[in-house]
Every structure is written in structure tokens, then in C-alpha cells.
Amino acid sequence: MSVFSIEPHAVSPGLDPADIRIAVVIPTYKRPEHIVRTMNSVTQQITRHVHAVVVVENDEKGGEGVTAAASLFMVGKARGLVIVEPRQGNCNAYNAGFASALATFPNLTHVAIIDDDEIATPHWLETLIVAASDADIVGGPQLPVFDDKLGAARFANHPVFRPAHTVNGSAGLITSTGNCLMAVKVLHAMGPHWLDERFNFLGGGDTDFFTRCRQKGFRFHWAKDAVVTETVPARRTERSWITARSLRNGLISALIQRKHNPGIAGRSKVILKSLTLLALSPIRSIMLWKETGSFYAGSYHMMIAAGRLLAEFGYTIEQYREPEKN
């Protein structure tokens, strides 16, 4: 099934597609209560730019996201549309959202993305758009809000919860679609299957996509004030989840580098880098331990190195296979 064949399940009354310059894509999967909060935060943005939301329901059987989004559209609390992507997987959902935005809004200049477990601060969109004057792709921080306050005290400084960058300006690469804005020309150049579906349940499809964007010569910018807050359920402050996420990040790193360095020579290069990181990881972990005051956070670099090596043996961690449990 082509992503271009998806028809909207609900459209806000009076929506004029020609008016829309910014589309905000919001994939959702079994979070009907939170998607309402996310949509409200987007529709209440303080910005001079006309924008609409494209909600992508990725739970065809349940359909709670469709019901939740449609309820806001029908009473005029949100402007946009909701589609259903029947093929589960976050890459499928993002791709469907991009395709729908391009097909629906003829005068689109940018596409922004926010996830369904996030809340945009009031100036989020305007800050991204201003920063986009100097770049093709802009990213911003996803600041955690922990359900488990004890977990927050222990793990708030852990690298899996920290933003990729801390200062405004040019960035070599951003790695997450959870808070970003892209010029439409990026999507035209990189599509129509933007995120590689092989990363649907492992994660990392966004990092791979942005890596390919960098190879195409697109420019990145970090906007530290374009903040979204991300709800972190108690499950994600358990050590087993954080360990799995750390190993998974190492796996993704190796798999992406392997993809972009094919052949025997490329594979050898990836393995050599993994072994180098493993050798350096004790020193880097001690430095991070001193910085964060947490030995567990400090072990992150060792987990990354271990995950990279596990990738060489075909090991995988599909934390997005059942995201509602993870």
C-alpha cells in the first residue's frame, strides 16, 4: 500500500488547504488522552504563521487516536486532519504523515513534528521557524517530565534523557524527529519513503534519515528555546528499561554506520570503531560519572560500546514493537 493513497478519516470544518504554510505531524499509538493534550499545545501556539496538524493514527484496530483527534476537529478546537496508517511502526507513521501533508497542502513551506507523549511550549513553533532561516532542518530539546519523582531524582541526568545539544546555532546533526522542523525541499529531495522501514520497531529511523540528509548537504540548526516536554512513565525509570535503551542506542549506531559503509572494508571500519569505543569506554564512563554524580549514568558509554558489538552478532532490541508497554 502506498503512503500516498491514504485518505483522511476526519478533517476540520472549513479547512482551506491553500492557507496552510506549516504542517505539524503528530503520530499516535494508543495514547488517546495524551494526544488531546499534545494537539491542544500545538493549536495554542503563539505564532504569526498559519499551521495545521496532521494526526497519524497507527493503531488501526483500536482507533482511539482517530476518535480523540476528530473530537477536537469537529468542535473547532483544532485545525487539520487525521489519517490512519494501518502498517504498525513509527517509520511507517512518519512517512504517512509527511506524504499526507505534502498531498493536502499545496503551499506548504515547512513540516514540523512532535510526538504524542509531548507538550509544546507556547513559542515552540515560532522559535523553530525563526531558526529555520539559517538552516534546512531545526531541532529542539525534549525535556523529560517524570511520572516517578524518585526515578527523576536518580536518572534525570542520564544521557538517554538529556538533549543532544545545549546551545543555539549550527549543528552537525540532530538525531530525533520528536521535536524538529524541516523545509519542504528536504522532503522532496529525500522521499517518498523518508524513514527506512527496517527501523520501525528498533528505532533509529530518524537518525538514519538525518544522516542521509547530511550527506545530501542539508544544514542543521539547534534551537534550545524550542522546547517540548516529554512525559516519562514510571516504566522508563526502571533500570532494565534504561539498560535496554542504552544498549539499543549502541545497536542503532552500529547498524546505521554499517548501512552507510557497505562491503568488507566498511564492515571492518565499523567493527574497528566499536572496539575503539569499547577500549575508551571505561575512561569516558568515569568522566561522565564525575559529571553526573551517578555511576549508573556513567556506565552509558560502556552500554553503547556493548550494544555496538552485539549488533555484529545479530542481536536486536525492538522497544517499539509494543510501545505502550515500553
Side-chain angles (χ1 to χ4, degrees):
M1 179 178 179
S2 169
V3 292
F4 289 100
S5 66
I6 295 178
E7 295 294 331
H9 274 240
V11 180
S12 56
L15 176 67
D16 185 349
D19 288 342
I20 305 303
R21 300 295 185 272
I22 315 293
V24 181
V25 173
I26 314 175
T28 187
Y29 183 82
K30 295 187 178 182
R31 288 185 178 129
E33 295 181 359
H34 209 296
I35 186 62
V36 170
R37 297 173 58 200
T38 302
M39 289 177 65
N40 282 334
S41 74
V42 172
T43 58
Q44 294 167 10
Q45 288 294 294
I46 301 172
T47 177
R48 52 197 169 83
H49 297 276
V50 180
H51 61 284
V53 297
V54 177
V55 177
V56 185
E57 169 65 271
N58 202 209
D59 177 25
E60 183 183 27
K61 292 182 179 179
E64 293 178 305
V66 170
T67 302
S71 68
L72 295 186
F73 291 142
M74 293 304 103
V75 298
K77 289 187 176 180
R79 176 173 48 205
L81 56 95
V82 57
I83 64 173
V84 174
E85 170 49 79
R87 302 166 302 165
Q88 189 185 343
N90 58 12
C91 295
N92 289 333
Y94 285 125
N95 288 342
F98 299 158
S100 182
L102 292 176
T104 303
F105 306 115
N107 298 317
L108 208 61
T109 63
H110 291 83
V111 171
I113 313 170
I114 184 172
D115 286 339
D116 67 344
D117 57 354
E118 297 174 343
I119 302 295
T121 51
H123 295 277
W124 165 72
L125 189 59
E126 184 69 20
T127 304
L128 287 175
I129 295 169
V130 170
S133 63
D134 295 323
D136 306 301
I137 303 167
V138 182
Q142 299 158 255
L143 302 184
V145 176
F146 295 91
D147 285 347
D148 179 1
K149 301 308 177 185
L150 180 59
R154 289 188 296 176
F155 299 122
N157 288 325
H158 196 285
V160 300
F161 299 120
R162 291 164 65 173
H165 306 280
T166 57
V167 297
N168 283 323
S170 178
L173 184 72
I174 66 170
T175 58
S176 174
T177 48
N179 178 8
C180 73
L181 177 84
M182 294 181 285
V184 164
K185 67 179 180 180
V186 174
L187 295 177
H188 286 313
M190 302 299 296
H193 296 282
W194 295 272
L195 273 64
D196 188 334
E197 296 170 8
R198 289 175 290 183
F199 292 95
N200 260 325
F201 302 110
L202 173 65
D206 42 8
T207 304
D208 171 66
F209 171 69
F210 289 134
T211 299
R212 288 184 279 119
C213 288
R214 181 173 62 182
Q215 292 173 341
K216 284 274 191 178
F218 290 114
R219 299 167 300 151
F220 294 84
H221 188 98
W222 185 257
K224 71 178 182 64
D225 296 321
V227 174
V228 302
T229 58
E230 179 179 14
T231 301
V232 180
R235 166 73 183 108
R236 295 190 178 189
T237 51
E238 295 175 7
R239 292 198 173 193
S240 59
W241 186 91
I242 295 176
T243 297
R245 178 54 60 99
S246 302
L247 289 170
R248 189 208 69 149
N249 288 353
L251 282 162
I252 290 170
S253 173
L255 291 174
I256 291 175
Q257 289 179 10
R258 186 191 301 174
K259 176 182 175 180
H260 295 281
N261 293 274
I264 296 175
R267 185 71 173 269
S268 299
K269 178 181 177 181
V270 173
I271 293 173
L272 179 59
K273 181 170 182 178
S274 296
L275 292 173
T276 301
L277 289 175
L278 181 64
L280 294 174
S281 64
I283 297 173
R284 298 180 71 196
S285 291
I286 290 172
M287 293 174 63
L288 186 57
W289 178 14
K290 290 182 177 180
E291 175 191 342
T292 62
S294 168
F295 174 79
Y296 195 66
S299 68
Y300 179 72
H301 291 299
M302 289 187 284
M303 293 293 101
I304 290 290
R308 288 180 61 97
L309 290 174
L310 287 172
E312 299 302 326
F313 296 95
Y315 187 77
T316 189
I317 299 175
E318 293 189 331
Q319 285 191 306
Y320 291 116
R321 178 66 67 176
E322 295 182 277
E324 74 278 11
K325 297 181 181 179
N326 289 291

